[in-house]
């Protein structure tokens, strides 16, 4: 048995009500819920929230909200692992014997059910504690630089000043869509980015972090193109 856990706080300072703000004709969180349900992988799709309005929207689109997340897990400093561990612990205490739990972000509007299915295969067929979505950096990070306080710039990796781009190693980053983990890994709060993890590659054009209104607008444009393509 597998369960999906969608963390969705009510508060969002940069984009108010982000998790339930209308996106592509429905609340943002609805896309994550519908992807989880249409994958046919989960016995339960659970939304962990501290907000009654979010809970009502989640239930309307087919998720469960069996508890309200406690305040100490609902501030700006609480990490995803702690939130998911709390939900997994609730499941265990309520005789839901899941072997794996998938954290799906409420803002993962581009998530694909097939990605969930294939990445679960990576988790179950390998030795991994976690399998999560990731994509490649758009530009080589080894040629990156920063602006110094006194002016001028300095490279983060000056040893690669003369290295050709095609000779640099590929670098990847978290795509912010989903995180499969064994029940044991979540309960132990193991680090997701570590030796016991593997990633599932998602192409860059299907990845968009949404933290600002500019991010939101770009995501809407991508979403519109993807829907017209289907």
């Amino acid at each position: 048995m597998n369960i999906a856990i969608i963390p969705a706080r009510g508060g969002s300072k940069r984009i108010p009500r982000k998790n339930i703000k209308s996106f592509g004709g429905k609340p943002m969180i609805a896309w994550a819920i519908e992807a989880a349900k249409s994958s046919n992988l989960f016995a339960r799709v659970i939304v962990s929230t501290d907000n009654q309005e979010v809970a009502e929207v989640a239930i309307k689109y087919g998720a469960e909200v069996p508890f309200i997340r406690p305040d100490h897990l609902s501030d700006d400093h609480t990490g995803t692992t702690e939130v998911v561990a709390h939900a997994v612990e609730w499941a265990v205490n309520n005789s839901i014997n899941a072997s794996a739990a998938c954290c799906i972000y409420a803002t993962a509007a581009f998530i694909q059910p097939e990605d969930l299915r294939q990445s679960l295969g990576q988790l179950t067929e390998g030795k991994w504690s976690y399998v999560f979505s990731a994509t490649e950096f758009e530009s080589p990070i080894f040629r990156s630089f920063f602006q110094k306080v006194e002016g001028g710039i300095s490279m983060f990796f000056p040893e690669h000043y003369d290295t050709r781009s095609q000779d640099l190693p590929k670098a990847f980053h978290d795509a912010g869509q989903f995180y499969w983990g064994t029940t044991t890994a979540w309960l132990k709060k193991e680090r997701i980015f570590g030796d016991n993890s593997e990633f599932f590659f998602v192409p860059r054009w299907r990845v968009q972090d949404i933290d600002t209104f500019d991010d939101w607008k770009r995501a809407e444009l991508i979403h519109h193109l993807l829907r017209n393509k289907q």
Side-chain angles (χ1 to χ4, degrees):
M1 178 192 298
N2 308 308
I3 59 174
I5 298 166
I6 303 176
R9 281 199 311 138
S12 177
K13 291 184 173 62
R14 286 176 287 190
I15 304 178
R17 301 171 72 249
K18 177 173 70 172
N19 291 325
I20 55 175
K21 179 178 170 67
S22 181
F23 181 91
K26 63 184 71 174
M28 173 61 87
I29 194 174
W31 297 102
I33 294 170
E34 291 178 353
K37 292 177 70 67
S38 63
S39 73
N40 295 316
L41 296 174
F42 304 107
R44 313 282 287 267
V45 177
I46 297 169
V47 169
S48 172
T49 186
D50 61 332
N51 182 273
Q52 189 59 41
E53 186 179 13
V54 172
E56 291 171 1
V57 171
I59 292 170
K60 177 181 177 180
Y61 283 90
E64 302 177 48
V65 187
F67 57 83
I68 294 296
R69 193 195 307 175
D71 290 342
H72 72 278
L73 292 176
S74 301
D75 60 29
D76 292 335
H77 305 291
T78 302
T80 298
T81 303
E82 286 75 15
V83 172
V84 178
H86 170 264
V88 171
E89 185 175 359
W90 175 89
V92 171
N93 291 338
N94 284 272
S95 301
I96 302 172
N97 299 313
S99 57
C102 187
C103 168
I104 300 175
Y105 278 164
T107 54
F110 306 144
I111 190 170
Q112 300 293 313
E114 185 58 27
D115 289 351
L116 293 171
R117 288 189 282 266
Q118 291 186 28
S119 53
L120 174 60
Q122 285 182 254
L123 183 74
T124 56
E125 294 169 9
K127 60 179 181 179
W128 312 113
S129 295
Y130 297 103
V131 172
F132 62 94
S133 60
T135 194
E136 190 176 354
F137 276 95
E138 192 169 355
S139 300
I141 64 170
F142 298 102
R143 305 299 294 276
S144 59
F145 58 86
F146 62 93
Q147 187 173 31
K148 296 187 290 186
V149 175
E150 65 274 19
I153 65 160
S154 181
M155 291 186 69
F156 282 105
F157 305 95
E159 66 272 22
H160 289 298
Y161 182 84
D162 292 318
T163 306
R164 298 185 308 166
S165 295
Q166 60 266 41
D167 295 330
L168 293 169
K170 290 185 177 181
F172 302 87
H173 65 86
D174 180 8
Q177 293 187 357
F178 61 85
Y179 310 80
W180 278 106
T182 65
T183 299
T184 300
W186 286 120
L187 290 176
K188 288 183 176 180
K189 300 179 184 178
E190 293 182 18
R191 292 176 64 89
I192 294 176
F193 305 122
D195 292 339
N196 295 322
S197 298
E198 181 59 281
F199 70 84
F200 176 84
F201 182 78
V202 179
R204 279 202 306 267
W205 54 268
R206 205 153 41 78
V207 173
Q208 175 61 43
D209 200 14
I210 303 178
D211 286 322
T212 67
F213 283 106
D214 281 347
D215 293 339
W216 186 281
K217 184 61 179 177
R218 185 170 188 269
E220 284 184 319
L221 293 171
I222 296 171
H223 192 262
H224 177 74
L225 291 172
L226 289 175
R227 289 182 69 183
N228 287 342
K229 180 181 177 182
Q230 295 174 349

